[in-house]
PDB file of all heavy atoms in Angstrom:
ATOM      1  N   ALA A  59     -14.270  20.750 -13.544  1.00  0.00           N
ATOM      2  CA  ALA A  59     -15.728  20.420 -13.635  1.00  0.00           C
ATOM      3  C   ALA A  59     -16.470  20.957 -12.437  1.00  0.00           C
ATOM      4  O   ALA A  59     -17.623  21.407 -12.583  1.00  0.00           O
ATOM      5  CB  ALA A  59     -15.894  18.910 -13.736  1.00  0.00           C
ATOM      6  N   PHE A  60     -15.841  20.968 -11.274  1.00  0.00           N
ATOM      7  CA  PHE A  60     -16.494  21.404 -10.055  1.00  0.00           C
ATOM      8  C   PHE A  60     -16.815  22.917 -10.078  1.00  0.00           C
ATOM      9  O   PHE A  60     -17.922  23.344  -9.750  1.00  0.00           O
ATOM     10  CB  PHE A  60     -15.669  21.081  -8.847  1.00  0.00           C
ATOM     11  CG  PHE A  60     -16.274  21.495  -7.547  1.00  0.00           C
ATOM     12  CD1 PHE A  60     -17.123  20.638  -6.852  1.00  0.00           C
ATOM     13  CD2 PHE A  60     -16.004  22.724  -6.957  1.00  0.00           C
ATOM     14  CE1 PHE A  60     -17.744  20.982  -5.682  1.00  0.00           C
ATOM     15  CE2 PHE A  60     -16.617  23.125  -5.736  1.00  0.00           C
ATOM     16  CZ  PHE A  60     -17.456  22.227  -5.118  1.00  0.00           C
ATOM     17  N   CYS A  61     -15.835  23.720 -10.512  1.00  0.00           N
ATOM     18  CA  CYS A  61     -16.013  25.205 -10.393  1.00  0.00           C
ATOM     19  C   CYS A  61     -16.316  25.840 -11.739  1.00  0.00           C
ATOM     20  O   CYS A  61     -16.803  26.979 -11.784  1.00  0.00           O
ATOM     21  CB  CYS A  61     -14.848  25.849  -9.753  1.00  0.00           C
ATOM     22  SG  CYS A  61     -13.360  25.948 -10.757  1.00  0.00           S
ATOM     23  N   GLY A  62     -16.011  25.158 -12.860  1.00  0.00           N
ATOM     24  CA  GLY A  62     -16.296  25.734 -14.145  1.00  0.00           C
ATOM     25  C   GLY A  62     -15.182  26.468 -14.825  1.00  0.00           C
ATOM     26  O   GLY A  62     -15.328  27.036 -15.907  1.00  0.00           O
ATOM     27  N   ALA A  63     -14.024  26.563 -14.191  1.00  0.00           N
ATOM     28  CA  ALA A  63     -12.843  27.198 -14.819  1.00  0.00           C
ATOM     29  C   ALA A  63     -12.353  26.313 -15.978  1.00  0.00           C
ATOM     30  O   ALA A  63     -12.301  25.117 -15.870  1.00  0.00           O
ATOM     31  CB  ALA A  63     -11.745  27.409 -13.799  1.00  0.00           C
ATOM     32  N   LYS A  64     -11.965  26.969 -17.060  1.00  0.00           N
ATOM     33  CA  LYS A  64     -11.506  26.159 -18.235  1.00  0.00           C
ATOM     34  C   LYS A  64     -10.188  25.483 -17.996  1.00  0.00           C
ATOM     35  O   LYS A  64      -9.978  24.389 -18.472  1.00  0.00           O
ATOM     36  CB  LYS A  64     -11.407  27.099 -19.452  1.00  0.00           C
ATOM     37  CG  LYS A  64     -12.758  27.632 -19.943  1.00  0.00           C
ATOM     38  CD  LYS A  64     -12.590  28.512 -21.176  1.00  0.00           C
ATOM     39  CE  LYS A  64     -13.878  29.057 -21.673  1.00  0.00           C
ATOM     40  NZ  LYS A  64     -13.740  29.967 -22.844  1.00  0.00           N
ATOM     41  N   HIS A  65      -9.347  26.159 -17.240  1.00  0.00           N
ATOM     42  CA  HIS A  65      -7.971  25.595 -17.009  1.00  0.00           C
ATOM     43  C   HIS A  65      -7.674  25.565 -15.530  1.00  0.00           C
ATOM     44  O   HIS A  65      -7.867  26.567 -14.820  1.00  0.00           O
ATOM     45  CB  HIS A  65      -6.924  26.406 -17.735  1.00  0.00           C
ATOM     46  CG  HIS A  65      -7.155  26.590 -19.190  1.00  0.00           C
ATOM     47  ND1 HIS A  65      -6.944  25.618 -20.131  1.00  0.00           N
ATOM     48  CD2 HIS A  65      -7.700  27.663 -19.881  1.00  0.00           C
ATOM     49  CE1 HIS A  65      -7.241  26.055 -21.332  1.00  0.00           C
ATOM     50  NE2 HIS A  65      -7.724  27.290 -21.208  1.00  0.00           N
ATOM     51  N   VAL A  66      -7.205  24.454 -15.015  1.00  0.00           N
ATOM     52  CA  VAL A  66      -6.773  24.290 -13.626  1.00  0.00           C
ATOM     53  C   VAL A  66      -5.403  23.681 -13.599  1.00  0.00           C
ATOM     54  O   VAL A  66      -5.152  22.671 -14.234  1.00  0.00           O
ATOM     55  CB  VAL A  66      -7.764  23.380 -12.836  1.00  0.00           C
ATOM     56  CG1 VAL A  66      -7.297  23.247 -11.393  1.00  0.00           C
ATOM     57  CG2 VAL A  66      -9.173  23.974 -12.882  1.00  0.00           C
ATOM     58  N   LEU A  67      -4.531  24.340 -12.834  1.00  0.00           N
ATOM     59  CA  LEU A  67      -3.153  23.821 -12.711  1.00  0.00           C
ATOM     60  C   LEU A  67      -2.863  23.617 -11.185  1.00  0.00           C
ATOM     61  O   LEU A  67      -2.858  24.598 -10.435  1.00  0.00           O
ATOM     62  CB  LEU A  67      -2.111  24.762 -13.285  1.00  0.00           C
ATOM     63  CG  LEU A  67      -2.198  24.941 -14.811  1.00  0.00           C
ATOM     64  CD1 LEU A  67      -3.018  26.189 -15.136  1.00  0.00           C
ATOM     65  CD2 LEU A  67      -0.829  25.088 -15.384  1.00  0.00           C
ATOM     66  N   SER A  68      -2.706  22.425 -10.778  1.00  0.00           N
ATOM     67  CA  SER A  68      -2.356  22.140  -9.392  1.00  0.00           C
ATOM     68  C   SER A  68      -0.917  22.516  -9.187  1.00  0.00           C
ATOM     69  O   SER A  68      -0.115  22.603 -10.095  1.00  0.00           O
ATOM     70  CB  SER A  68      -2.554  20.689  -9.070  1.00  0.00           C
ATOM     71  OG  SER A  68      -1.744  19.838  -9.898  1.00  0.00           O
ATOM     72  N   CYS A  69      -0.565  22.816  -7.892  1.00  0.00           N
ATOM     73  CA  CYS A  69       0.775  23.203  -7.575  1.00  0.00           C
ATOM     74  C   CYS A  69       1.101  22.867  -6.123  1.00  0.00           C
ATOM     75  O   CYS A  69       0.239  22.255  -5.410  1.00  0.00           O
ATOM     76  CB  CYS A  69       1.036  24.680  -7.844  1.00  0.00           C
ATOM     77  SG  CYS A  69      -0.009  25.795  -6.889  1.00  0.00           S
ATOM     78  N   ALA A  70       2.276  23.209  -5.673  1.00  0.00           N
ATOM     79  CA  ALA A  70       2.802  22.670  -4.387  1.00  0.00           C
ATOM     80  C   ALA A  70       2.099  23.207  -3.154  1.00  0.00           C
ATOM     81  O   ALA A  70       1.991  22.536  -2.145  1.00  0.00           O
ATOM     82  CB  ALA A  70       4.309  22.925  -4.285  1.00  0.00           C
ATOM     83  N   ASN A  71       1.622  24.468  -3.232  1.00  0.00           N
ATOM     84  CA  ASN A  71       0.972  25.093  -2.089  1.00  0.00           C
ATOM     85  C   ASN A  71       0.315  26.399  -2.527  1.00  0.00           C
ATOM     86  O   ASN A  71       0.474  26.833  -3.654  1.00  0.00           O
ATOM     87  CB  ASN A  71       1.962  25.348  -0.929  1.00  0.00           C
ATOM     88  CG  ASN A  71       3.178  26.135  -1.410  1.00  0.00           C
ATOM     89  OD1 ASN A  71       3.070  27.309  -1.702  1.00  0.00           O
ATOM     90  ND2 ASN A  71       4.318  25.490  -1.426  1.00  0.00           N
ATOM     91  N   GLY A  72      -0.455  26.990  -1.612  1.00  0.00           N
ATOM     92  CA  GLY A  72      -1.162  28.195  -1.987  1.00  0.00           C
ATOM     93  C   GLY A  72      -0.280  29.389  -2.202  1.00  0.00           C
ATOM     94  O   GLY A  72      -0.567  30.262  -3.044  1.00  0.00           O
ATOM     95  N   THR A  73       0.856  29.482  -1.519  1.00  0.00           N
ATOM     96  CA  THR A  73       1.800  30.575  -1.728  1.00  0.00           C
ATOM     97  C   THR A  73       2.450  30.483  -3.092  1.00  0.00           C
ATOM     98  O   THR A  73       2.594  31.519  -3.838  1.00  0.00           O
ATOM     99  CB  THR A  73       2.895  30.580  -0.620  1.00  0.00           C
ATOM    100  OG1 THR A  73       2.240  30.630   0.674  1.00  0.00           O
ATOM    101  CG2 THR A  73       3.784  31.746  -0.764  1.00  0.00           C
ATOM    102  N   ASP A  74       2.847  29.262  -3.496  1.00  0.00           N
ATOM    103  CA  ASP A  74       3.382  29.095  -4.845  1.00  0.00           C
ATOM    104  C   ASP A  74       2.332  29.432  -5.888  1.00  0.00           C
ATOM    105  O   ASP A  74       2.645  29.954  -6.996  1.00  0.00           O
ATOM    106  CB  ASP A  74       3.855  27.644  -5.050  1.00  0.00           C
ATOM    107  CG  ASP A  74       5.240  27.432  -4.464  1.00  0.00           C
ATOM    108  OD1 ASP A  74       5.801  28.352  -3.893  1.00  0.00           O
ATOM    109  OD2 ASP A  74       5.720  26.275  -4.567  1.00  0.00           O
ATOM    110  N   ALA A  75       1.074  29.147  -5.600  1.00  0.00           N
ATOM    111  CA  ALA A  75       0.000  29.518  -6.579  1.00  0.00           C
ATOM    112  C   ALA A  75      -0.006  31.017  -6.796  1.00  0.00           C
ATOM    113  O   ALA A  75      -0.117  31.463  -7.968  1.00  0.00           O
ATOM    114  CB  ALA A  75      -1.331  29.030  -6.033  1.00  0.00           C
ATOM    115  N   LEU A  76       0.148  31.773  -5.737  1.00  0.00           N
ATOM    116  CA  LEU A  76       0.181  33.231  -5.898  1.00  0.00           C
ATOM    117  C   LEU A  76       1.471  33.661  -6.586  1.00  0.00           C
ATOM    118  O   LEU A  76       1.473  34.509  -7.520  1.00  0.00           O
ATOM    119  CB  LEU A  76       0.119  33.902  -4.529  1.00  0.00           C
ATOM    120  CG  LEU A  76      -1.222  33.886  -3.811  1.00  0.00           C
ATOM    121  CD1 LEU A  76      -1.061  34.328  -2.352  1.00  0.00           C
ATOM    122  CD2 LEU A  76      -2.211  34.745  -4.493  1.00  0.00           C
ATOM    123  N   GLY A  77       2.577  33.056  -6.267  1.00  0.00           N
ATOM    124  CA  GLY A  77       3.855  33.431  -6.879  1.00  0.00           C
ATOM    125  C   GLY A  77       3.828  33.113  -8.375  1.00  0.00           C
ATOM    126  O   GLY A  77       4.324  33.911  -9.184  1.00  0.00           O
ATOM    127  N   LEU A  78       3.264  31.956  -8.760  1.00  0.00           N
ATOM    128  CA  LEU A  78       3.161  31.604 -10.181  1.00  0.00           C
ATOM    129  C   LEU A  78       2.387  32.658 -10.959  1.00  0.00           C
ATOM    130  O   LEU A  78       2.736  33.017 -12.076  1.00  0.00           O
ATOM    131  CB  LEU A  78       2.572  30.232 -10.357  1.00  0.00           C
ATOM    132  CG  LEU A  78       3.453  29.052  -9.971  1.00  0.00           C
ATOM    133  CD1 LEU A  78       2.599  27.741  -9.896  1.00  0.00           C
ATOM    134  CD2 LEU A  78       4.567  28.833 -10.970  1.00  0.00           C
ATOM    135  N   THR A  79       1.262  33.082 -10.369  1.00  0.00           N
ATOM    136  CA  THR A  79       0.397  34.054 -11.048  1.00  0.00           C
ATOM    137  C   THR A  79       1.154  35.411 -11.245  1.00  0.00           C
ATOM    138  O   THR A  79       1.015  36.026 -12.292  1.00  0.00           O
ATOM    139  CB  THR A  79      -0.894  34.316 -10.348  1.00  0.00           C
ATOM    140  OG1 THR A  79      -0.653  34.810  -9.028  1.00  0.00           O
ATOM    141  CG2 THR A  79      -1.689  33.012 -10.185  1.00  0.00           C
ATOM    142  N   LEU A  80       1.911  35.784 -10.258  1.00  0.00           N
ATOM    143  CA  LEU A  80       2.656  37.065 -10.390  1.00  0.00           C
ATOM    144  C   LEU A  80       3.773  36.938 -11.440  1.00  0.00           C
ATOM    145  O   LEU A  80       4.092  37.888 -12.126  1.00  0.00           O
ATOM    146  CB  LEU A  80       3.190  37.470  -9.048  1.00  0.00           C
ATOM    147  CG  LEU A  80       2.162  37.847  -7.984  1.00  0.00           C
ATOM    148  CD1 LEU A  80       2.786  38.301  -6.678  1.00  0.00           C
ATOM    149  CD2 LEU A  80       1.176  38.894  -8.488  1.00  0.00           C
TER     150      LEU A  80
END
Side-chain angles (χ1 to χ4, degrees):
F60 182 87
C61 74
K64 291 181 181 178
H65 305 283
V66 179
L67 295 95
S68 60
C69 60
N71 54 68
T73 305
D74 279 359
L76 288 169
L78 287 166
T79 61
L80 294 182

